[in-house]
């Protein structure tokens, strides 16, 4: 089974809850993919075409 966590908080590194979740997942379940939107789209402009082409499984 594949899993993806999408982090939408723009300042997740200083958010106690979001930082804790991201760090725990990276440590305890490294097979889970983490997508941090601010890192993928720093200008906050989303590429809808690319997102629609991403595989869903």
């Amino acid at each position: 089974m594949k899993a993806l966590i999408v982090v939408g908080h723009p300042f997740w590194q200083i958010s106690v809850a979001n930082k804790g979740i991201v760090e725990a997942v990276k440590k305890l379940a490294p097979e889970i993919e983490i997508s941090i939107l601010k890192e993928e789209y720093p200008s906050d402009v989303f590429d809808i075409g690319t997102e629609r082409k991403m595989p869903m499984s």
Side-chain angles (χ1 to χ4, degrees):
M1 180 173 99
K2 291 185 178 182
L4 169 66
I5 295 176
V6 178
V7 179
H9 194 303
F11 305 107
W12 69 270
Q13 301 95 330
I14 59 173
S15 165
V16 173
N18 285 273
K19 182 178 179 181
I21 291 167
V22 170
E23 290 179 350
V25 169
K26 285 182 177 181
K27 180 178 179 182
L28 300 173
E31 70 279 4
I32 295 177
E33 183 178 348
I34 299 175
S35 174
I36 300 177
L37 294 179
K38 194 65 174 174
E39 292 175 5
E40 294 191 37
Y41 300 102
S43 65
D44 296 329
V45 177
F46 295 89
D47 184 345
I48 301 302
T50 299
E51 293 296 321
R52 285 185 177 160
K53 292 177 187 172
M54 292 184 75
M56 295 177 64
S57 47

